[in-house]
Amino acid sequence: MTAAVYGIPPSGEVWHGLTLLHFFLVGLAGGSAFLAGLASLRREALAPALLRFAALFVVLDLAVLWLESAARFRFTHVWLFLTFRPASAISLGAWGLFLTLLLSLLLLLRPGHARFFAPLLLASSLVVLAYPGMLLSENPGRPLWDGFVTALMPVTGLALAVGFWLLFVRGSLLRLAPPVFLTAALGAVLYPWALAHGDAGERAAWAGLWHDAGLFYLAAVLLLFLAGVLRRRPEIAGGIALFASAFLRSLIVMLGQ
Amino acid sequence: MARYAMAIDLEACVGCAACAVACVTENQVPPGVTRLWIREIETGRFPHPAVEFRPEQCYHCENPPCVPVCPTGATYRREDGLVLVDAKKCIACGACVVACPYDARFLHPDGYVDKCTFCAHRLAEGRVPACVETCPTGARVFGDLEEKEGPLQAALKGARRVDLRKPHLGTEPRIFYLNAPLATGLGGDEA
């Protein structure tokens, strides 16, 4: 049974390279803001740097989103902040990014109010970490993006941020990094398991992923496990986790379309 | 309130693509994209070859997955069942393009998402969509589902069988395929 087409079915890949950069930056922004929230609550010396970079990553991410949009010179993005649609992951993400930026700046300006602002920053950063997974999983016609990505995306986003910061600083991150990396690795193992136990579409999607990039997927999972156990060389573990998390996220986004 | 829908008789469709051309002309669809296309599926084997010509477009679903994912409300569903895009509010994020399980949406070169509108501008004038008017074999029937004695209901009642695309998704498309050549329904592995 073969199929040919008269005319061009309109959609194909909608999200390209800049979108992958967004998925990278949003993980970095959300994860850094989450770490900044924790550091602010504990009044750690690292908190101001984390807050500054969380704000910077949010700004960079918003700039990438604007740059990749075909509507960038129509300035219709203003509608994102004139409406709030909780059923839309992008609407949640836009407001989450805005609030994360605002709260990071407020904590930088008023570090004495950490008990009030830091929990709010933790909450908004969780929205930023969670929204990419929600965005992917709300598409019924894309079986690779099953419900499990709502868990995998936040975990890999946090691993990405922890990996990035481990390249430069230590402190409490040393204790946090192994469980985060190992959780991300476990999530990456459970994801294909969930697909393999899903409906026919999900099983076919996993078979497709395995066929197209199975060895790369396996390598990324092993690298995350390696980062989780490589405690004597934290900067190397951080680099490995940063790379493996970014790669896994990109793979899932691109192949799922 | 009307509930607009369409029926396409696959026994009558000859795959001439006149509907696709009419759509491009009526809606000034730019080159490289299309709101409507025809899928050709071989459903038989020698010595009994058969082919299904299946016109595809936006199905104006009863439960459209593209509507809730829109962050600005640019994609909306009217009371008469038409799923439309307000280009002034669209940020071209692509969420609805990805959400559509039928791949019926595309990014217009002018920076917004576009798709079939059931020729809403013609409906407002009391005319049928351009694809329906053009079809040389009368394979397309457009009408109001609420009109019990209307042409759409008559076509649905008179059909040997009625199929929807991807019914397991629960989107309830409002384009009904009539008389699919295969006894088991629509051809293709993703119908």
Side-chain angles (χ1 to χ4, degrees):
Chain A
M1 194 177 288
T2 57
V5 167
Y6 295 106
I8 311 156
S11 98
E13 279 185 3
V14 183
W15 293 335
H16 301 286
L18 272 178
T19 319
L20 295 186
L21 183 59
H22 157 63
F23 274 88
F24 173 74
L25 281 171
V26 80
L28 213 47
S32 297
F34 184 79
L35 296 175
L38 287 179
S40 298
L41 273 179
R42 295 174 181 171
R43 300 186 186 281
E44 291 180 17
L46 188 58
L50 285 167
L51 288 167
R52 269 189 216 103
F53 274 87
L56 177 69
F57 290 141
V58 170
V59 171
L60 280 175
D61 186 41
L62 290 172
V64 165
L65 281 175
W66 176 78
L67 202 64
E68 70 150 5
S69 170
R72 58 185 169 276
F73 295 121
R74 295 172 62 235
F75 301 106
T76 48
H77 286 82
V78 69
W79 282 101
L80 279 173
F81 301 106
L82 296 176
T83 50
F84 176 60
R85 299 170 62 82
S88 161
I90 290 183
S91 183
L92 279 178
W95 281 104
L97 282 165
F98 172 73
L99 289 175
T100 297
L101 177 62
L102 185 70
L103 290 164
S104 299
L105 296 176
L106 281 172
L107 271 167
L108 273 171
L109 294 171
R110 296 272 184 275
H113 292 67
R115 281 198 175 177
F116 179 69
F117 289 131
L120 293 176
L121 180 62
L122 284 173
S124 72
S125 69
L126 285 176
V127 172
V128 172
L129 281 169
Y131 112 84
M134 293 162 66
L135 172 64
L136 298 183
S137 69
E138 65 189 4
N139 300 296
R142 318 284 160 186
L144 192 63
W145 300 337
D146 78 336
F148 200 85
V149 291
T150 53
L152 188 59
M153 280 295 180
V155 173
T156 52
L158 189 58
L160 207 149
V162 172
F164 173 82
W165 282 100
L166 217 50
L167 291 173
F168 307 104
V169 294
R170 302 286 181 273
S172 57
L173 281 177
L174 279 178
R175 287 195 306 277
L176 191 64
V180 169
F181 297 160
L182 289 174
T183 307
L186 188 65
V189 169
L190 290 176
Y191 171 57
W193 182 85
L195 285 172
H197 288 80
D199 59 27
E202 289 171 359
R203 291 197 297 275
W206 166 243
L209 189 152
W210 181 252
H211 177 266
D212 292 341
L215 289 178
F216 291 110
Y217 187 91
L218 192 62
V221 174
L222 291 174
L223 283 175
L224 276 173
F225 270 116
L226 181 65
V229 296
L230 202 65
R231 298 185 184 216
R232 290 190 181 174
R233 302 296 299 274
E235 69 283 358
I236 294 177
I240 288 173
L242 175 69
F243 171 77
S245 302
F247 181 78
L248 265 183
R249 290 163 72 88
S250 302
L251 202 64
I252 291 168
V253 171
M254 288 314 288
L255 293 182
Q257 284 193 72
Chain B
M1 176 57 73
R3 276 171 68 218
Y4 290 123
M6 191 183 284
I8 302 178
D9 187 344
L10 297 180
E11 247 170 21
C13 180
V14 294
C16 66
C19 52
V21 176
C23 175
V24 169
T25 310
E26 176 71 27
N27 297 293
Q28 298 177 6
V29 182
V33 287
T34 181
R35 293 180 174 191
L36 190 170
W37 64 100
I38 320 287
R39 199 177 293 274
E40 177 190 343
I41 304 156
E42 291 173 20
T43 55
R45 284 192 180 169
F46 183 83
H48 304 292
V51 71
E52 173 185 310
F53 293 108
R54 187 168 72 210
E56 296 179 358
Q57 61 203 75
C58 171
Y59 292 93
H60 296 270
C61 305
E62 200 77 26
N63 302 312
C66 52
V67 170
V69 301
C70 179
T72 62
T75 288
Y76 62 100
R77 187 168 181 273
R78 280 195 339 199
E79 278 189 30
D80 59 9
L82 265 62
V83 178
L84 300 174
V85 179
D86 180 353
K88 292 190 202 82
K89 283 187 177 180
C90 177
I91 63 168
C93 63
C96 59
V97 181
V98 177
C100 175
Y102 307 107
D103 293 336
R105 291 171 164 249
F106 60 91
L107 286 175
H108 192 283
D110 289 345
Y112 59 87
V113 167
D114 199 14
K115 65 171 198 72
C116 161
T117 61
F118 268 169
C119 287
H121 60 289
R122 289 171 64 102
L123 296 183
E125 297 166 359
R127 300 155 73 198
V128 294
C131 55
V132 176
E133 191 175 83
T134 301
C135 182
T137 62
R140 290 173 177 265
V141 181
F142 185 82
D144 180 358
L145 275 175
E146 299 293 332
E147 262 183 46
K148 298 299 175 201
E149 303 301 321
L152 183 63
Q153 288 289 1
L156 290 170
K157 282 175 192 159
R160 177 172 44 79
R161 64 172 295 144
V162 179
D163 288 291
L164 296 173
R165 279 198 69 205
K166 302 187 179 180
H168 60 284
L169 296 177
T171 54
E172 295 185 42
R174 282 295 159 255
I175 294 184
F176 303 93
Y177 290 108
L178 312 181
N179 306 322
L182 273 179
T184 50
L186 296 174
D189 52 5
E190 43 80 58

